[in-house]
Amino acid sequence: MKDLKHFILVGAPASGKGTQGRFLADTFNLNSLSTGSLLRREIESCTELGRKALGYMDKAMLVPDEIVNDMVRGWLLERDNDAWLLDGYPRTVAQAEALDHFLNQRGMSVDVVVWMDVARELIEQRILRRRECSTCGYVVQTPEEVCSKCGGKMVSRKDDNVEAFARRWKDFEAMTLPVARYYEARGLVVKMTVTEEREPSEVFHDLVRRLEEYRQ
């Protein structure tokens, strides 16, 4: 039976991978890395890598692979013998190849890649229905105008519109989808296909079953 210690989670924006990632981390006792959170931590700590990343982000540019790779390597080195989950990394095939090289040097490898394969139409509906509280930041899919948590005003995010979604989906198809295919060709992918709205706990129940089958 395969020992699952090193997970990668891939999926389009609003595919539910953040929620499934939290379930996975709790169930398999994984240290979880979100590249977005890591970037914020490096920037807030004023590290050299954080300052470099901020220079690109201030110009609305993608942070180059070499900076993101160095940040992730540093995080992994701090957890050398631990089980972990990477969410949002690798985002490109070049990043995946760099990760493979780094892990191989340390006698490790990716054990499984969970691919949240959610229909584009479903993701678009989720994004267009999504609302965020302008006071406390609570996010939910709802037509309500008042936050159920604090009573604040529920508003749509500036980039939660058809045009912005089309751009994000195009980026996903160009950069991240090839990452899923890269690992799929090596037999490392457990794919969760979702074509209709389901409770996250139901999706996770199916995911755990598939992971157990994958381990055999």
Side-chain angles (χ1 to χ4, degrees):
M1 183 175 286
K2 297 176 183 175
D3 186 17
L4 302 184
K5 290 184 61 179
H6 302 146
F7 287 67
I8 287 175
L9 185 58
V10 297
S15 63
K17 64 185 180 71
T19 299
Q20 298 304 315
R22 288 190 291 274
F23 288 156
L24 285 168
D26 290 342
T27 301
F28 291 90
N29 194 27
L30 308 171
N31 289 282
S32 181
L33 169 67
S34 162
T35 49
S37 297
L38 181 60
L39 277 167
R40 287 191 293 273
R41 187 187 79 176
E42 295 286 335
I43 291 170
E44 289 169 1
S45 299
C46 294
T47 66
E48 181 180 355
L49 288 174
R51 290 192 296 272
K52 288 180 179 179
L54 185 60
Y56 290 94
M57 295 168 69
D58 281 345
K59 299 174 184 176
M61 298 170 63
L62 289 175
V63 179
D65 283 351
E66 58 267 23
I67 295 177
V68 179
N69 289 342
D70 283 346
M71 287 184 180
V72 174
R73 288 182 191 125
W75 186 87
L76 290 172
L77 285 170
E78 293 173 1
R79 294 154 184 83
D80 201 25
N81 297 313
D82 297 337
W84 43 256
L85 166 74
L86 304 182
D87 177 4
Y89 180 92
R91 191 182 182 197
T92 66
V93 171
Q95 289 181 357
E97 292 172 342
L99 177 63
D100 282 342
H101 180 68
F102 172 77
L103 293 177
N104 289 339
Q105 287 183 320
R106 307 193 66 77
M108 297 187 293
S109 64
V110 173
D111 295 321
V112 62
V113 177
V114 175
W115 176 6
M116 296 302 300
D117 178 34
V118 182
R120 172 176 175 158
E121 296 77 13
L122 184 55
I123 291 178
E124 185 172 8
Q125 291 170 14
R126 288 178 180 177
I127 287 176
L128 295 181
R129 290 199 303 262
R130 185 164 60 187
R131 299 291 185 273
E132 181 176 44
C133 177
S134 58
T135 302
C136 71
Y138 178 60
V139 178
V140 67
Q141 293 184 41
T142 178
E144 301 298 326
E145 295 184 1
V146 178
C147 176
S148 61
K149 296 288 186 181
C150 74
K153 183 179 180 181
M154 301 298 291
V155 297
S156 297
R157 294 176 178 176
K158 291 181 179 179
D159 59 349
D160 280 356
N161 57 65
V162 173
E163 293 78 13
F165 169 73
R167 290 193 298 271
R168 278 185 281 175
W169 186 267
K170 185 176 180 180
D171 288 343
F172 165 72
E173 288 189 316
M175 293 187 293
T176 308
L177 189 56
V179 172
R181 300 294 188 197
Y182 170 83
Y183 288 115
E184 188 175 41
R186 294 164 51 190
L188 294 174
V189 167
V190 171
K191 185 167 152 182
M192 280 300 302
T193 299
V194 181
T195 57
E196 60 184 15
E197 205 63 79
R198 299 173 61 195
E199 287 295 324
S201 58
E202 293 179 3
V203 174
F204 186 66
H205 181 271
D206 287 348
L207 174 55
V208 170
R209 177 177 53 81
R210 296 190 187 189
L211 286 169
E212 290 300 323
E213 292 172 354
Y214 171 83
R215 293 179 70 186
Q216 302 302 320

